[in-house]
């Protein structure tokens, strides 16, 4: 599906990014009230009906009368892609702008934000983009090309990666065999189009609009110290529990289970059902459904213990997702030279001083033309970062390297350089040759094992063109 470029002059939009739990919703409403704006949602899970507590959806009271677009318009099992979001969000922004208001884009799905800002839908790191089809494959079902990842055995997963290496070695070079979703995705593209996925990506990246921001975007990054954020996220889950999360998930669970068209093993694979806040409770409700009409105290206690484990899993998933969001912001926005205005949200009591007031001042300066991303110094820095960004994603020069010292695979030049400068790598490197005390038996055993591993790996240098091994680090 071809994407439509946004014509000049570029529309002005505010974009607020950050991890879950840092106050993006609060700031978006404050800015919309101050600058006559309307909000465009970029949180994939908040686009679905139901699960309002589990997705931390903004309440009507919290909206303060500010119109919100792309909220609660999908059914729970409905599939929705970044291509569809791009079209819908751009239409909403156009409508808001034509009415003389300022669009404020806010949400935690960073891939959707990327799809909105650039025309870079065909990216190897995506999993749900539309695929151009040839005549022979147009009528075939998606599952003919892409079986559910969870249904494959370990042997079948390895076979799929080997197949990808035969038909598209550049994609296989970049995708780890364990990343079965991306392996299947690239195979699906090949079988539907007859062309390697890497070829389509490279072709798209040659287009100018794939590298050009489609909006004059004022990017705000709400940040928080790790320790503070973890505590805040744990409390957020506790608050969800207190506000009725279990009952909400149970209602949706019963609704889905009553639908005979949805297989039991697919429940957490569709729409909002794969979201954090639902999938963690699948085991609990499965066991709860298996209870007899008059369960014994022991059985009830066992199921209650599973519920506690589910909440711990939810807290862990939430923290992991927050780390993923930070990596995306750094690798996909900051690495491209996009100007990000950071505000620290550690102390909620100082919100107005540390966040709201400086954000309002910066937005006003941007609207007045006093601080934009087009000034000469920033333009030079952005151009350099943009060039480095695309160079690091050139599949023809991209390599996977094996560090013999640490015995780990490292993907890409940037990650390799970071790895060889890391504390752990250099500590092991020094340990290889350091002279240990004769009585340090345990240390000498570890050193000998490390030396033996390096020597064995060196003797088995891979001749494969898609892997570069080195011990000279």
């Amino acid at each position: 599906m071809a994407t439509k470029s946004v014509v000049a002059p570029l529309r002005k939009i505010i974009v607020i990014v950050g991890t879950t739990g840092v106050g993006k919703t609060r700031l978006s409403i404050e800015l919309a009230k101050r600058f006559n704006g309307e909000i465009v949602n970029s949180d994939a899970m908040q686009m679905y009906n139901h699960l309002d507590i589990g997705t931390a959806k903004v309440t009507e009271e919290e909206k303060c009368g500010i119109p919100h677009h792309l909220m609660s318009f999908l059914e729970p099992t409905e599939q929705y892609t970044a291509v569809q979001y791009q079209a819908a969000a751009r239409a909403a922004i156009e409508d808001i702008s034509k009415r003389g208001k300022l669009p404020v884009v806010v949400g935690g799905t960073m891939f959707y934000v990327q799809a909105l800002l650039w025309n870079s839908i065909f990216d190897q790191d995506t999993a749900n983009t539309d695929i151009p089809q040839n005549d022979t494959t147009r009528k075939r079902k998606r599952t003919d090309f892409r079986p559910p990842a969870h249904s494959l055995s370990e042997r079948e997963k390895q076979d799929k990666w080997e197949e990808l290496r035969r038909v598209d070695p550049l994609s296989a070079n970049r995708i780890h065999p364990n990343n079965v979703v991306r392996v299947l995705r690239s195979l699906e593209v090949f079988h539907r189009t007859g062309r390697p996925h890497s070829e389509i990506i490279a072709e798209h990246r040659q287009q100018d609009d794939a590298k050009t921001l489609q909006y004059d975007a004022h990017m705000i990054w709400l940040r928080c110290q790790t320790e503070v954020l973890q505590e805040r996220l744990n409390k957020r889950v506790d608050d969800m529990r207190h506000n009725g999360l279990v009952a909400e998930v149970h209602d949706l669970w019963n609704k889905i289970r009553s639908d005979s068209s949805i297989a039991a093993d697919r429940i957490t694979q569709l729409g909002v059902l794969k979201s954090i806040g639902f999938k963690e409770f699948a085991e609990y409700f499965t066991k709860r459904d298996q209870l007899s009409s008059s369960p014994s105290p022991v059985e009830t206690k066992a199921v209650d213990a599973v519920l506690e484990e589910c909440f711990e899993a939810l807290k862990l998933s939430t923290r992991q997702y927050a780390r993923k969001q930070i990596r995306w912001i750094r690798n996909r926005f900051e690495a491209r030279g996009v100007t990000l205005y950071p505000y620290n949200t550690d102390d909620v009591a100082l919100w107005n001083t540390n966040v709201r007031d400086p954000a309002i001042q910066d937005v006003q300066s941007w609207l007045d033309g006093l601080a934009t991303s087009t000034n000469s110094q920033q333009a030079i820095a952005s151009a350099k970062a943009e060039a480095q960004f695309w160079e690091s994603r050139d599949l023809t020069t991209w390599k996977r390297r094996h560090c013999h010292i640490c015995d780990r695979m490292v993907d890409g030049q940037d990650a390799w350089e970071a790895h060889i400068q890391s504390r752990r790598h250099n500590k092991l490197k020094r340990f290889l040759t350091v002279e240990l005390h004769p009585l340090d038996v345990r240390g000498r055993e570890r050193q000998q094992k490390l030396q033996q591993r390096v020597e064995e790996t060196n003797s088995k240098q891979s001749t494969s063109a898609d892997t570069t091994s080195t011990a000279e680090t």
Side-chain angles (χ1 to χ4, degrees):
M1 177 177 176
T3 53
K4 184 178 179 180
S5 300
V6 180
V7 297
L10 299 181
R11 295 289 192 189
K12 285 184 175 292
I13 63 172
I14 296 174
V15 180
I16 303 176
V17 298
T19 69
T20 183
V22 292
K24 297 188 298 295
T25 296
R26 177 178 178 178
L27 182 62
S28 68
I29 293 171
E30 290 172 339
L31 293 180
K33 291 170 63 177
R34 174 64 177 79
F35 294 103
N36 189 30
E38 294 185 9
I39 292 170
V40 179
N41 172 44
S42 61
D43 188 300
M45 295 301 108
Q46 292 186 4
M47 297 176 191
Y48 289 89
N49 290 314
H50 306 288
L51 213 61
D52 294 355
I53 298 172
T55 60
K57 196 175 295 181
V58 60
T59 66
E60 289 301 320
E61 182 180 359
E62 291 171 335
K63 289 180 181 179
C64 297
I66 301 297
H68 282 60
H69 301 261
L70 303 184
M71 294 281 288
S72 302
F73 67 98
L74 298 172
E75 289 306 308
T77 59
E78 190 173 351
Q79 298 292 73
Y80 197 70
T81 70
V83 178
Q84 293 171 295
Y85 173 76
Q86 183 191 69
R90 288 184 176 179
I93 288 172
E94 189 69 12
D95 172 64
I96 295 168
S97 299
K98 283 183 176 179
R99 289 187 281 106
K101 295 192 173 185
L102 181 63
V104 181
V105 179
V106 61
T109 307
M110 300 305 156
F111 176 46
Y112 278 18
V113 176
Q114 176 181 316
L116 174 65
L117 297 179
W118 291 277
N119 286 338
S120 54
I121 289 299
F122 273 122
D123 186 85
Q124 181 119 358
D125 296 330
T126 70
N128 294 305
T129 59
D130 284 354
I131 307 170
Q133 301 178 28
N134 58 41
D135 292 338
T136 61
T137 62
R138 193 176 303 277
K139 295 182 180 181
R140 294 179 64 183
K141 296 180 180 179
R142 185 187 188 98
T143 51
D144 292 340
F145 306 106
R146 189 177 176 184
H150 68 279
S151 69
L152 299 179
S153 66
E154 292 303 315
R155 180 66 260 177
E156 288 172 327
K157 292 176 183 178
Q158 182 64 31
D159 289 344
K160 289 295 183 182
W161 185 83
E162 293 291 349
E163 179 186 353
L164 179 62
R165 187 167 66 167
R166 290 193 299 271
V167 301
D168 187 358
L170 289 180
S171 289
N173 181 30
R174 184 162 189 174
I175 302 174
H176 194 281
N178 291 341
N179 197 334
V180 64
V181 172
R182 286 178 58 193
V183 170
L184 294 175
R185 169 61 180 168
S186 288
L187 283 174
E188 180 187 11
V189 172
F190 173 78
H191 289 302
R192 281 187 178 273
T193 66
R195 300 172 61 197
H197 196 186
S198 57
E199 181 181 301
I200 296 175
I201 294 169
E203 182 179 281
H204 177 77
R205 287 175 175 175
Q206 295 303 313
Q207 301 173 15
D208 290 339
D209 66 350
K211 302 179 180 181
T212 305
L213 274 170
Q214 299 296 294
Y215 293 96
D216 180 3
H218 181 82
M219 299 279 289
I220 292 173
W221 182 4
L222 298 187
R223 307 173 69 171
C224 188
Q225 292 293 326
T226 302
E227 296 78 10
V228 176
L229 180 61
Q230 289 185 353
E231 182 179 346
R232 189 179 296 174
L233 294 179
N234 288 339
K235 183 179 183 302
R236 187 181 196 183
V237 172
D238 292 336
D239 290 342
M240 287 180 176
R241 183 174 191 171
H242 177 75
N243 292 333
L245 176 61
V246 175
E248 179 183 72
V249 176
H250 190 215
D251 288 344
L252 183 55
W253 174 268
N254 288 336
K255 176 182 174 66
I256 299 303
R257 287 300 300 269
S258 64
D259 188 342
S260 59
S261 66
I262 302 176
D265 62 351
R266 292 283 288 161
I267 287 182
T268 58
Q269 305 293 321
L270 302 171
V272 76
L273 310 182
K274 60 189 176 185
S275 71
I276 296 173
F278 181 88
K279 60 184 181 181
E280 288 81 9
F281 295 93
E283 181 181 2
Y284 167 69
F285 288 115
T286 299
K287 291 186 178 299
R288 179 170 167 172
D289 291 345
Q290 294 171 349
L291 283 176
S292 62
S293 57
S294 301
S296 67
V298 174
E299 291 174 325
T300 302
K301 185 176 180 180
V303 172
D304 289 342
V306 172
L307 179 60
E308 296 305 317
E309 293 173 359
C310 291
F311 272 105
E312 290 304 313
L314 175 55
K315 291 179 180 180
L316 176 60
S317 297
T318 304
R319 296 194 300 269
Q320 291 173 334
Y321 182 57
R323 290 195 291 270
K324 181 179 178 180
Q325 290 172 307
I326 292 174
R327 288 196 300 270
W328 194 288
I329 294 169
R330 292 192 183 280
N331 296 335
R332 300 306 183 93
F333 301 148
E334 196 173 44
R336 296 184 75 158
V338 175
T339 300
L340 292 163
Y341 289 79
Y343 305 101
N344 186 286
T345 67
D346 285 352
D347 193 340
V348 178
L350 297 176
W351 174 271
N352 292 349
T353 301
N354 294 342
V355 182
R356 187 198 64 182
D357 295 345
I360 288 176
Q361 181 178 352
D362 288 338
V363 170
Q364 187 63 62
S365 297
W366 166 66
L367 291 173
D368 293 340
L370 301 179
T372 69
S373 60
T374 56
N375 65 72
S376 58
Q377 183 176 2
Q378 178 61 37
I380 293 173
S382 297
K384 182 178 179 181
E386 181 78 1
Q388 293 173 340
F389 175 86
W390 288 106
E391 182 180 355
S392 69
R393 283 158 175 78
D394 185 351
L395 296 182
T396 61
T397 61
W398 190 94
K399 293 180 180 179
R400 170 175 292 124
R401 293 173 168 84
H402 179 226
C403 176
H404 293 179
I405 295 175
C406 302
D407 193 25
R408 61 170 294 190
M409 301 300 295
V410 182
D411 294 338
Q413 182 64 28
D414 291 344
W416 176 253
E417 291 178 356
H419 172 72
I420 62 177
Q421 295 173 14
S422 68
R423 180 182 304 175
R424 181 179 185 275
H425 172 83
N426 284 287
K427 182 178 179 179
L428 285 176
K429 183 179 177 180
R430 290 191 299 269
F431 184 66
L432 268 173
T433 57
V434 69
E435 184 174 350
L436 299 176
H437 193 281
L439 298 180
D440 187 1
V441 178
R442 183 174 298 180
R444 292 173 70 86
E445 289 178 351
R446 287 182 57 236
Q447 188 182 61
Q448 289 173 0
K449 287 182 180 179
L450 178 60
Q451 291 170 341
Q452 182 180 2
R453 186 181 72 197
V454 172
E455 290 173 1
E456 289 177 351
T457 311
N458 281 335
S459 67
K460 299 177 182 178
Q461 287 281 341
S462 173
T463 58
S464 173
D466 62 358
T467 303
T468 297
S469 297
T470 180
E472 305 299 325
T473 50

